[in-house]
Amino acid sequence: MGLEVRDLVPAFLAFWDNAPDGWDEYVGQHPEVLDDLTNTGRTLTSERRERALATYREQEERIWVNAPHGVRWIEEAAARVVPLLEAEHVDLQGVAMVGLGTSNGWVSGGKLYLAVEQILDERSARILATHEIAHALQLPLPAEPWPSDTTLGCTVYAEGFATALTAELFPEYTLAEHLWFGPGYDDWLADCEQQQDAAAAAILRDLDAEDGDTLGRYLAFGGEREFPTRIGYFIGTRLIQALRRDHTWPELARWSTTRAMDAVRTQLVVQ
């Protein structure tokens, strides 16, 4: 395995010394800063820019505390997950950075991104970086690599895969902590457990959907919804945990989208 991690946090700190005058130069030299916008087809509006600058002011102390650790968090996560998935042949690219104060971590264009301004502490970093490394490997490992944009069913599988994996690696944390990368969501988890059957049935009906509104209903924030926010992550985690009774992590990481969809469909019926 080859792992290359770029550290953009020093570039942010240099920009922040002269903010906001150096913004255009900063993002021009480091376009990855805008990746959580551009990979979804959005653009940087003046309003979003001002919101990011406000976040930086609010989180300045956290950014300085986390600045030395972003690369280490990614490297340690890779060291955990690569052997577990028998993925030593896969080359990985990571980016430690200060984002726009929105996403804490994501995978885009084959790269793993970790946004240090959103990371609460070592526990949060450990879970999050491992979760994102799991995504970065699960997408390319099948004989036909998964596309980044796919159906609700495949997305539920992928998010469940990454969360169930961290839950096995770090059993000292609660499932709510694994699903939210930190504390404070026990009531949310209880709501999800109470509505699990109804949510599984609804996801089953929408399994082949690819549009953002449908996926967002189960996986994103905001908007009107019938179930707790992000309940699709919970459903996916329970689904993968059930599959783990009969399958290894290397097997589950290499399933095609067709096999994953079939398994999701079967498990949702069982639930």
Side-chain angles (χ1 to χ4, degrees):
M1 178 201 74
L3 173 63
E4 178 187 354
V5 184
R6 296 183 62 213
D7 188 3
L8 302 187
V9 181
F12 169 84
L13 296 176
F15 145 72
W16 193 237
D17 281 341
N18 300 300
D21 296 337
W23 174 268
D24 291 338
E25 181 180 358
Y26 167 58
V27 299
Q29 292 179 350
H30 306 289
E32 295 99 327
V33 172
L34 305 182
D35 184 81
D36 60 337
L37 290 178
T38 57
N39 73 40
T40 55
R42 295 174 292 172
T43 58
L44 182 69
T45 63
S46 58
E47 178 183 2
R48 189 177 297 276
R49 176 178 178 274
E50 291 306 312
R51 196 156 61 238
L53 292 172
T55 298
Y56 302 153
R57 287 189 287 271
E58 294 169 2
Q59 303 297 349
E60 184 172 3
E61 181 178 355
R62 182 189 294 171
I63 292 169
W64 278 100
V65 168
N66 289 344
H69 304 297
V71 172
R72 172 178 62 84
W73 288 333
I74 295 172
E75 291 175 341
E76 290 177 350
R80 294 183 199 102
V81 181
V82 167
L84 181 64
L85 300 185
E86 299 176 2
E88 287 82 0
H89 61 289
V90 178
D91 290 330
L92 289 170
Q93 291 185 306
V95 180
M97 58 184 281
V98 176
L100 299 179
T102 53
S103 301
N104 53 13
W106 63 97
V107 174
S108 170
K111 294 181 182 179
L112 175 158
Y113 293 82
L114 213 60
V116 302
E117 84 283 1
Q118 293 290 93
I119 297 176
L120 301 177
D121 51 29
E122 281 285 332
R123 167 191 48 192
S124 173
R126 188 176 299 118
I127 297 171
L128 175 64
T130 304
H131 181 106
E132 298 303 337
I133 286 284
H135 281 317
L137 291 172
Q138 187 263 322
L139 287 172
L141 275 173
E144 293 187 14
W146 283 30
S148 55
D149 296 320
T150 185
T151 61
L152 173 64
C154 284
T155 306
V156 166
Y157 181 96
E159 295 298 348
F161 177 91
T163 307
L165 186 144
T166 69
E168 280 197 26
L169 285 176
F170 308 119
E172 64 270 30
Y173 305 127
T174 68
L175 181 57
E177 289 175 297
H178 285 284
L179 286 158
W180 285 94
F181 313 109
Y185 292 91
D186 292 340
D187 290 344
W188 170 87
L189 181 60
D191 288 343
C192 288
E193 290 171 338
Q194 185 176 7
Q195 300 189 55
Q196 180 174 353
D197 291 345
I203 290 173
L204 182 61
R205 289 193 299 270
D206 290 332
L207 210 60
D208 295 308
E210 299 181 17
D211 63 285
D213 288 342
T214 302
L215 270 67
R217 192 177 307 145
Y218 305 105
L219 298 162
F221 298 94
E224 295 184 7
R225 61 190 70 244
E226 181 182 355
F227 302 107
T229 297
R230 299 175 75 249
I231 196 170
Y233 288 77
F234 167 77
I235 295 295
T237 302
R238 290 302 193 206
L239 186 153
I240 296 294
Q241 289 174 331
L243 291 171
R244 278 285 291 131
R245 299 177 192 130
D246 300 309
H247 301 283
T248 67
W249 283 116
E251 288 174 334
L252 294 173
R254 288 163 172 79
W255 281 7
S256 67
T257 55
T258 299
R259 185 168 184 186
M261 284 288 284
D262 288 344
V264 170
R265 188 173 282 108
T266 299
Q267 290 297 321
L268 289 179
V269 170
V270 171
Q271 287 186 23

